[in-house]
């Protein structure tokens, strides 16, 4: 849907918003999670974060969902960025205009950066990185170290390999007011005593029964910040394993937070993201209905939900990324840039598995031999 707003300007008109030159040496500042400020790696100069101007302020304003779906968002809520698309995983990642070749941070596929312009809804908020690259690498190698069947070569390669990439991953958040009328049945458990005869013996036993009664009712719920991944570059099992995110600590979007990091453009459009959010909402509403029905058992016959006042935000969440090519296979690992929680593709060592099987057989044979001697 993002292409429908307006044709993008030529690349020469796209502002390079995320470059912040050092006022002492001219090298690029980067955002330092440890210092919560901009730091120059070249000369050590530092600069405070900008708190005023067009990107300052403390409020993170929601946008109206219907307005966006109808392509009526004002121009100040849109932006253009230079991105490169990976032909392997489909990720669209911002690259420096001077970069002409790189590897995709999501899958380690070599790509030539055919820079194009992506027009999209501006981010409204983000969670800044709280862990630096060193802390993220430690968390990843500790996680790998706990995987006994992981190849030693990969563990060593990961420890000594290139730096992890700091990526801001796109998400949608949705707010909505819901009202649901439902019909169903409430089940009350009771027991009946019956007499049975087994093996010539007569005895009594309690048999569970359920008495059902028809019910109807109404439940309401306001949903705040229903989180939906806005990218397909990473499997859901990766991103869901990084949760929870401390969304209460979200900052209003400021380009300074992106200094020294990359940002992925969203590839799941707003309308598709909303469908995912509704699935999440419906699961919660179903629990609300069952709680409202009460009793020992619940059945839901119908649920008519009205959704109003839907608003949304495009937000960015921090992920440290490592993608390694090892013996012809790609391995991906992700680290929550706030908590250090790690997830990745579990590597297996055929040698370690074979050794474990042999040791298991030896132990089983030994135990069997001892038992045979005792008999």
């Amino acid at each position: 849907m993002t292409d429908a707003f307006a044709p993008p300007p030529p690349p020469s008109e796209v502002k390079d918003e995320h470059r912040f030159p050092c006022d002492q040496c001219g090298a690029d500042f980067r955002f330092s999670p440890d210092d919560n400020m901009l730091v120059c790696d070249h000369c050590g100069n530092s600069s405070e974060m900008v708190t005023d101007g067009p990107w300052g302020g403390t409020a993170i304003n929601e946008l109206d969902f219907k307005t966006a779906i109808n392509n009526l968002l004002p121009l100040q809520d849109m932006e253009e960025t230079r991105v490169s698309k990976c032909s392997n995983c489909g990720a669209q990642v911002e690259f420096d205009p001077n970069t002409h070749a790189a590897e995709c941070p999501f899958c380690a596929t070599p790509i030539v950066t055919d820079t194009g312009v992506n027009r999209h809804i501006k981010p409204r908020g983000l969670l800044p990185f709280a862990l630096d690259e060193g802390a993220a690498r430690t968390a990843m190698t500790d996680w790998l170290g706990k995987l006994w069947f992981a190849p030693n070569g990969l563990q060593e390669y990961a420890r000594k390999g290139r730096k992890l990439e700091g990526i801001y991953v796109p998400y949608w958040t949705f707010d909505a007011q819901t009202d649901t009328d439902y019909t169903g049945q409430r089940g009350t458990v009771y027991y009946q005593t019956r007499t049975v005869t087994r093996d010539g013996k007569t005895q009594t036993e309690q048999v569970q029964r359920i008495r059902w009664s028809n019910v109807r009712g109404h439940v309401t719920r306001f949903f705040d910040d229903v989180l939906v991944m806005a990218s397909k570059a990473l499997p859901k099992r990766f991103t869901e394993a990084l949760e929870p995110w401390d969304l209460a600590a979200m900052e209003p979007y400021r380009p300074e937070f992106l200094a020294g990091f990359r940002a992925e453009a969203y590839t799941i459009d707003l309308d598709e993201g909303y469908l995912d959010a509704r699935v999440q909402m419906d699961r919660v509403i179903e629990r609300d209905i069952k709680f409202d029905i009460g009793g020992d058992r619940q059945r839901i016959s119908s649920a008519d939900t009205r959704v109003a006042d839907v608003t949304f935000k495009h937000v960015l969440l921090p992920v440290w990324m490592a993608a390694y090519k090892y013996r012809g296979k790609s391995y991906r690992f992700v680290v929550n840039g706030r908590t250090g929680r790690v997830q990745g593709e579990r590597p297996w060592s055929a040698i370690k598995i074979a050794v474990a099987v042999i040791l298991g057989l030896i132990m089983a044979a030994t135990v069997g031999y001892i038992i045979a001697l005792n008999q």
Side-chain angles (χ1 to χ4, degrees):
M1 65 167 277
T2 53
D3 292 335
F5 287 98
S12 61
E13 296 181 16
V14 180
K15 294 183 179 179
D16 187 12
E17 292 180 334
H18 307 326
R19 185 177 183 276
F20 299 91
C22 173
D23 54 3
Q24 288 190 3
C25 69
D28 286 340
F29 276 125
R30 64 169 178 82
F31 173 71
S32 170
D34 290 336
D35 304 311
N36 196 33
M37 61 194 312
L38 298 176
V39 175
C40 177
D41 286 333
H42 184 71
C43 70
N45 183 32
S46 61
S47 175
E48 297 289 340
M49 299 284 290
V50 176
T51 57
D52 54 8
W55 296 103
T58 57
I60 304 178
N61 297 323
E62 303 277 337
L63 297 177
D64 183 70
F65 177 72
K66 289 184 178 179
T67 301
I69 289 296
N70 291 327
N71 297 337
L72 298 176
L73 284 179
L75 291 178
Q76 61 263 30
D77 291 325
M78 307 298 298
E79 69 174 359
E80 291 86 23
T81 55
R82 292 185 178 94
V83 297
S84 292
K85 182 176 181 179
C86 175
S87 59
N88 183 48
C89 69
Q92 296 188 35
V93 182
E94 294 183 22
F95 280 94
D96 187 283
N98 297 321
T99 301
H100 300 292
E103 284 187 348
C104 174
F106 289 89
C107 66
T109 299
I111 55 176
V112 176
T113 59
D114 182 14
T115 302
V117 176
N118 181 55
R119 181 171 174 79
H120 57 241
I121 300 171
K122 283 180 182 177
R124 307 295 291 186
L126 58 73
L127 280 176
F129 278 88
L131 302 179
D132 61 16
E133 194 271 343
R137 177 177 293 278
T138 298
M140 184 189 70
T141 53
D142 287 348
W143 182 80
L144 277 171
K146 296 175 183 177
L147 304 179
W148 193 87
F149 289 111
N152 290 333
L154 176 62
Q155 295 179 8
E156 190 65 20
Y157 181 66
R159 290 189 186 97
K160 297 180 179 179
R162 66 182 183 277
K163 287 186 175 182
L164 277 68
E165 295 253 20
I167 304 285
Y168 279 101
V169 178
Y171 281 79
W172 300 112
T173 71
F174 293 92
D175 292 2
Q177 176 64 49
T178 63
D179 293 270
T180 304
D181 296 317
Y182 70 84
T183 61
Q185 293 179 306
R186 180 189 301 115
T188 302
V189 174
Y190 66 98
Y191 293 88
Q192 287 183 335
T193 302
R194 69 177 183 181
T195 302
V196 296
T197 301
R198 294 191 181 96
D199 300 327
K201 296 181 180 180
T202 301
Q203 59 187 34
T204 61
E205 63 181 17
Q206 297 290 311
V207 180
Q208 186 185 90
R209 304 292 187 192
I210 301 177
R211 183 180 296 108
W212 293 100
S213 58
N214 293 326
V215 295
R216 64 176 58 246
H218 178 84
V219 295
T220 65
R221 176 176 284 273
F222 176 74
F223 288 92
D224 181 37
D225 284 345
V226 177
L227 192 64
V228 176
M229 178 77 169
S231 166
K232 299 178 182 178
L234 289 173
K236 270 194 171 183
R237 69 180 186 277
F238 282 17
T239 55
E240 290 177 352
L242 295 183
E243 298 178 3
W245 294 94
D246 51 336
L247 297 182
M250 189 172 294
E251 296 275 356
Y253 174 81
R254 294 200 296 275
E256 290 95 328
F257 283 121
L258 274 65
F261 299 96
R262 290 179 179 174
E264 184 192 6
Y266 60 80
T267 53
I268 293 179
D269 285 336
L270 181 63
D271 50 357
E272 186 180 353
Y274 177 68
L275 295 178
D276 190 324
R278 277 302 312 271
V279 171
Q280 296 184 50
M281 293 179 194
D282 287 342
R283 285 198 294 262
V284 176
I285 291 171
E286 180 179 340
R287 292 198 295 267
D288 288 347
I289 292 174
K290 288 184 176 181
F291 182 80
D292 197 61
I293 289 175
D296 302 307
R297 303 285 189 275
Q298 302 85 30
R299 291 174 177 169
I300 301 174
S301 303
S302 66
D304 178 22
T305 299
R306 296 172 298 283
V307 184
D309 303 326
V310 181
T311 58
F312 74 96
K313 298 187 300 292
H314 171 206
V315 300
L316 302 174
L317 303 185
V319 174
W320 286 104
M321 189 89 53
Y324 299 112
K325 289 282 189 181
Y326 179 72
R327 294 184 177 178
K329 186 175 180 181
S330 178
Y331 294 93
R332 293 176 295 179
F333 307 100
V334 290
V335 182
N336 184 315
R338 302 282 296 182
T339 65
R341 193 180 182 96
V342 182
Q343 185 56 263
E345 286 163 321
R346 184 184 181 92
W348 300 93
S349 168
I351 295 176
K352 286 186 176 181
I353 293 174
V355 170
V357 171
I358 293 171
L359 290 175
L361 291 174
I362 293 173
M363 291 179 63
T366 302
V367 171
Y369 177 72
I370 294 174
I371 293 175
L373 287 178
N374 292 333
Q375 290 178 343

mmCIF file of all heavy atoms in Angstrom, residues 346-366:
data_model
loop_
_atom_site.group_PDB
_atom_site.id
_atom_site.type_symbol
_atom_site.label_atom_id
_atom_site.label_comp_id
_atom_site.label_asym_id
_atom_site.label_seq_id
_atom_site.Cartn_x
_atom_site.Cartn_y
_atom_site.Cartn_z
ATOM 1 N N ARG A 346 19.415 -23.700 15.532
ATOM 2 C CA ARG A 346 20.219 -24.616 16.352
ATOM 3 C C ARG A 346 21.130 -25.448 15.461
ATOM 4 O O ARG A 346 20.658 -26.244 14.647
ATOM 5 C CB ARG A 346 19.308 -25.521 17.169
ATOM 6 C CG ARG A 346 20.066 -26.430 18.117
ATOM 7 C CD ARG A 346 19.128 -27.389 18.833
ATOM 8 N NE ARG A 346 19.886 -28.240 19.755
ATOM 9 C CZ ARG A 346 20.091 -27.957 21.031
ATOM 10 N NH1 ARG A 346 19.621 -26.836 21.531
ATOM 11 N NH2 ARG A 346 20.772 -28.779 21.801
ATOM 12 N N PRO A 347 22.446 -25.291 15.611
ATOM 13 C CA PRO A 347 23.373 -26.096 14.811
ATOM 14 C C PRO A 347 23.623 -27.453 15.470
ATOM 15 O O PRO A 347 23.592 -27.578 16.687
ATOM 16 C CB PRO A 347 24.650 -25.244 14.799
ATOM 17 C CG PRO A 347 24.596 -24.492 16.099
ATOM 18 C CD PRO A 347 23.135 -24.295 16.436
ATOM 19 N N TRP A 348 23.875 -28.455 14.644
ATOM 20 C CA TRP A 348 24.122 -29.806 15.150
ATOM 21 C C TRP A 348 25.474 -30.309 14.638
ATOM 22 O O TRP A 348 25.824 -30.106 13.485
ATOM 23 C CB TRP A 348 23.023 -30.773 14.689
ATOM 24 C CG TRP A 348 21.662 -30.385 15.152
ATOM 25 C CD1 TRP A 348 20.754 -29.632 14.473
ATOM 26 C CD2 TRP A 348 21.046 -30.708 16.392
ATOM 27 N NE1 TRP A 348 19.606 -29.466 15.199
ATOM 28 C CE2 TRP A 348 19.755 -30.121 16.391
ATOM 29 C CE3 TRP A 348 21.454 -31.447 17.512
ATOM 30 C CZ2 TRP A 348 18.879 -30.261 17.460
ATOM 31 C CZ3 TRP A 348 20.566 -31.576 18.568
ATOM 32 C CH2 TRP A 348 19.300 -30.985 18.540
ATOM 33 N N SER A 349 26.201 -30.987 15.497
ATOM 34 C CA SER A 349 27.468 -31.596 15.126
ATOM 35 C C SER A 349 27.262 -33.097 14.980
ATOM 36 O O SER A 349 26.934 -33.792 15.961
ATOM 37 C CB SER A 349 28.540 -31.324 16.186
ATOM 38 O OG SER A 349 29.683 -32.130 15.962
ATOM 39 N N ALA A 350 27.453 -33.619 13.753
ATOM 40 C CA ALA A 350 27.273 -35.053 13.526
ATOM 41 C C ALA A 350 28.254 -35.860 14.358
ATOM 42 O O ALA A 350 27.921 -36.947 14.863
ATOM 43 C CB ALA A 350 27.445 -35.360 12.040
ATOM 44 N N ILE A 351 29.476 -35.354 14.527
ATOM 45 C CA ILE A 351 30.483 -36.069 15.311
ATOM 46 C C ILE A 351 30.053 -36.178 16.769
ATOM 47 O O ILE A 351 30.132 -37.242 17.395
ATOM 48 C CB ILE A 351 31.847 -35.365 15.195
ATOM 49 C CG1 ILE A 351 32.353 -35.439 13.747
ATOM 50 C CG2 ILE A 351 32.856 -35.977 16.148
ATOM 51 C CD1 ILE A 351 33.653 -34.697 13.520
ATOM 52 N N LYS A 352 29.589 -35.056 17.344
ATOM 53 C CA LYS A 352 29.167 -35.080 18.753
ATOM 54 C C LYS A 352 27.970 -36.009 18.952
ATOM 55 O O LYS A 352 27.883 -36.720 19.957
ATOM 56 C CB LYS A 352 28.819 -33.670 19.219
ATOM 57 C CG LYS A 352 30.033 -32.770 19.432
ATOM 58 C CD LYS A 352 29.608 -31.436 20.025
ATOM 59 C CE LYS A 352 30.805 -30.554 20.333
ATOM 60 N NZ LYS A 352 30.412 -29.269 20.935
ATOM 61 N N ILE A 353 27.044 -35.991 18.005
ATOM 62 C CA ILE A 353 25.879 -36.869 18.118
ATOM 63 C C ILE A 353 26.314 -38.329 18.057
ATOM 64 O O ILE A 353 25.846 -39.178 18.828
ATOM 65 C CB ILE A 353 24.865 -36.548 17.005
ATOM 66 C CG1 ILE A 353 24.275 -35.145 17.217
ATOM 67 C CG2 ILE A 353 23.751 -37.587 16.977
ATOM 68 C CD1 ILE A 353 23.385 -34.683 16.095
ATOM 69 N N ALA A 354 27.242 -38.643 17.121
ATOM 70 C CA ALA A 354 27.726 -40.017 16.999
ATOM 71 C C ALA A 354 28.423 -40.463 18.282
ATOM 72 O O ALA A 354 28.227 -41.598 18.760
ATOM 73 C CB ALA A 354 28.667 -40.127 15.810
ATOM 74 N N VAL A 355 29.257 -39.580 18.845
ATOM 75 C CA VAL A 355 29.950 -39.901 20.093
ATOM 76 C C VAL A 355 28.940 -40.156 21.215
ATOM 77 O O VAL A 355 29.086 -41.107 22.002
ATOM 78 C CB VAL A 355 30.919 -38.772 20.480
ATOM 79 C CG1 VAL A 355 31.449 -38.980 21.897
ATOM 80 C CG2 VAL A 355 32.071 -38.702 19.494
ATOM 81 N N ALA A 356 27.899 -39.317 21.287
ATOM 82 C CA ALA A 356 26.887 -39.485 22.329
ATOM 83 C C ALA A 356 26.161 -40.811 22.172
ATOM 84 O O ALA A 356 25.865 -41.502 23.162
ATOM 85 C CB ALA A 356 25.898 -38.325 22.284
ATOM 86 N N VAL A 357 25.859 -41.197 20.934
ATOM 87 C CA VAL A 357 25.171 -42.475 20.698
ATOM 88 C C VAL A 357 26.057 -43.633 21.110
ATOM 89 O O VAL A 357 25.606 -44.592 21.771
ATOM 90 C CB VAL A 357 24.775 -42.587 19.208
ATOM 91 C CG1 VAL A 357 24.271 -43.998 18.904
ATOM 92 C CG2 VAL A 357 23.702 -41.569 18.861
ATOM 93 N N ILE A 358 27.349 -43.574 20.721
ATOM 94 C CA ILE A 358 28.280 -44.654 21.082
ATOM 95 C C ILE A 358 28.417 -44.767 22.591
ATOM 96 O O ILE A 358 28.375 -45.878 23.164
ATOM 97 C CB ILE A 358 29.648 -44.410 20.420
ATOM 98 C CG1 ILE A 358 29.531 -44.556 18.901
ATOM 99 C CG2 ILE A 358 30.687 -45.391 20.960
ATOM 100 C CD1 ILE A 358 30.780 -44.122 18.153
ATOM 101 N N LEU A 359 28.578 -43.624 23.273
ATOM 102 C CA LEU A 359 28.680 -43.647 24.739
ATOM 103 C C LEU A 359 27.418 -44.208 25.367
ATOM 104 O O LEU A 359 27.479 -44.970 26.353
ATOM 105 C CB LEU A 359 28.960 -42.237 25.264
ATOM 106 C CG LEU A 359 30.352 -41.654 24.967
ATOM 107 C CD1 LEU A 359 30.438 -40.218 25.451
ATOM 108 C CD2 LEU A 359 31.440 -42.506 25.625
ATOM 109 N N GLY A 360 26.269 -43.848 24.805
ATOM 110 C CA GLY A 360 25.011 -44.372 25.330
ATOM 111 C C GLY A 360 24.921 -45.875 25.176
ATOM 112 O O GLY A 360 24.457 -46.585 26.090
ATOM 113 N N LEU A 361 25.366 -46.399 24.019
ATOM 114 C CA LEU A 361 25.338 -47.839 23.802
ATOM 115 C C LEU A 361 26.294 -48.547 24.758
ATOM 116 O O LEU A 361 25.976 -49.627 25.286
ATOM 117 C CB LEU A 361 25.706 -48.145 22.347
ATOM 118 C CG LEU A 361 24.683 -47.717 21.292
ATOM 119 C CD1 LEU A 361 25.237 -47.954 19.889
ATOM 120 C CD2 LEU A 361 23.364 -48.473 21.476
ATOM 121 N N ILE A 362 27.486 -47.951 24.971
ATOM 122 C CA ILE A 362 28.444 -48.552 25.892
ATOM 123 C C ILE A 362 27.879 -48.610 27.307
ATOM 124 O O ILE A 362 27.987 -49.627 28.009
ATOM 125 C CB ILE A 362 29.771 -47.769 25.868
ATOM 126 C CG1 ILE A 362 30.462 -47.933 24.498
ATOM 127 C CG2 ILE A 362 30.691 -48.217 26.991
ATOM 128 C CD1 ILE A 362 31.695 -47.068 24.333
ATOM 129 N N MET A 363 27.248 -47.502 27.735
ATOM 130 C CA MET A 363 26.676 -47.478 29.082
ATOM 131 C C MET A 363 25.555 -48.492 29.217
ATOM 132 O O MET A 363 25.437 -49.189 30.232
ATOM 133 C CB MET A 363 26.161 -46.066 29.406
ATOM 134 C CG MET A 363 27.269 -45.035 29.574
ATOM 135 S SD MET A 363 26.616 -43.388 29.923
ATOM 136 C CE MET A 363 25.803 -43.696 31.491
ATOM 137 N N ALA A 364 24.724 -48.601 28.179
ATOM 138 C CA ALA A 364 23.617 -49.563 28.231
ATOM 139 C C ALA A 364 24.145 -50.985 28.291
ATOM 140 O O ALA A 364 23.633 -51.837 29.049
ATOM 141 C CB ALA A 364 22.723 -49.377 27.012
ATOM 142 N N ALA A 365 25.197 -51.264 27.499
ATOM 143 C CA ALA A 365 25.777 -52.610 27.516
ATOM 144 C C ALA A 365 26.398 -52.920 28.869
ATOM 145 O O ALA A 365 26.288 -54.056 29.384
ATOM 146 C CB ALA A 365 26.826 -52.733 26.402
ATOM 147 N N THR A 366 27.064 -51.914 29.477
ATOM 148 C CA THR A 366 27.678 -52.105 30.792
ATOM 149 C C THR A 366 26.638 -52.416 31.855
ATOM 150 O O THR A 366 26.797 -53.337 32.674
ATOM 151 C CB THR A 366 28.483 -50.854 31.187
ATOM 152 O OG1 THR A 366 29.479 -50.597 30.196
ATOM 153 C CG2 THR A 366 29.148 -51.045 32.538
#
